[in-house]
Amino acid sequence: MNRSLWRLTVRGEFASAHALRYYQGKCESLHGHNYAVEMVVEGETLTPDTELVVDFSILKKELRAELGLIDHVNLNEYPPFDTVNPSSENLARYLYHRMKARLAEMPVRLYSLTVGETAMQSATYMEIDD
């Protein structure tokens, strides 16, 4: 028997400064990015009335609220990045866990979260069940 699965994607953005610790190059100095964030969730059922997994506007609202907390800040001064290097990889993992908690009561599970510093490069975090 086949199971149905839908993946929904929403995107957001924020602007922040950071400096990469222990990096040898220009990125070791304080600089900023207009980060692009992509969140992918999965769901297996549709609501009986509207036949949606979950309304996109709800997902966007939650993502915007979380990104608003780190918008226009120096990430190196914002926990946990005051001790953890504010790399795209660590940002993706941090935002994944923050969004997973925000979505816990919804009929979806977080599949992946991607953070891009530019249109040409990004880091994606997901958790894989063993």
Side-chain angles (χ1 to χ4, degrees):
M1 183 171 163
N2 291 335
R3 287 183 11 207
S4 297
L5 178 70
W6 287 268
R7 284 191 181 149
L8 306 179
T9 303
V10 294
R11 293 173 181 87
E13 59 189 11
F14 68 100
S16 290
H18 74 157
L20 295 177
R21 296 176 191 93
Y22 316 112
Y23 186 85
Q24 307 233 336
K26 291 191 300 186
C27 294
E28 188 174 24
S29 298
L30 186 65
H31 63 286
H33 293 286
N34 291 322
Y35 291 94
V37 177
E38 179 179 277
M39 179 177 71
V40 180
V41 300
E42 295 180 326
E44 296 178 9
T45 59
L46 300 179
T47 57
D49 53 357
T50 56
E51 298 186 26
L52 302 173
V53 175
V54 67
D55 192 324
F56 282 120
S57 65
I58 295 170
L59 295 174
K60 290 188 295 186
K61 178 184 172 195
E62 292 299 326
L63 182 59
R64 270 194 312 269
E66 190 60 45
L67 297 181
L69 299 173
I70 55 175
D71 189 38
H72 285 81
V73 302
N74 178 349
L75 292 170
N76 293 75
E77 297 173 354
Y78 188 89
F81 303 110
D82 53 344
T83 57
V84 173
N85 215 12
S87 64
S88 291
E89 293 87 345
N90 284 334
L91 275 167
R93 178 175 49 197
Y94 168 79
L95 288 170
Y96 179 97
H97 288 290
R98 299 283 297 184
M99 291 309 303
K100 186 175 180 180
R102 280 184 177 270
L103 302 175
E105 301 300 318
M106 293 187 196
V108 294
R109 69 188 155 275
L110 187 53
Y111 175 73
S112 66
L113 198 132
T114 300
V115 172
E117 292 183 357
T118 71
M120 304 299 287
Q121 59 203 36
S122 62
T124 299
Y125 181 82
M126 63 179 62
E127 293 185 340
I128 300 169
D129 295 328
D130 289 331

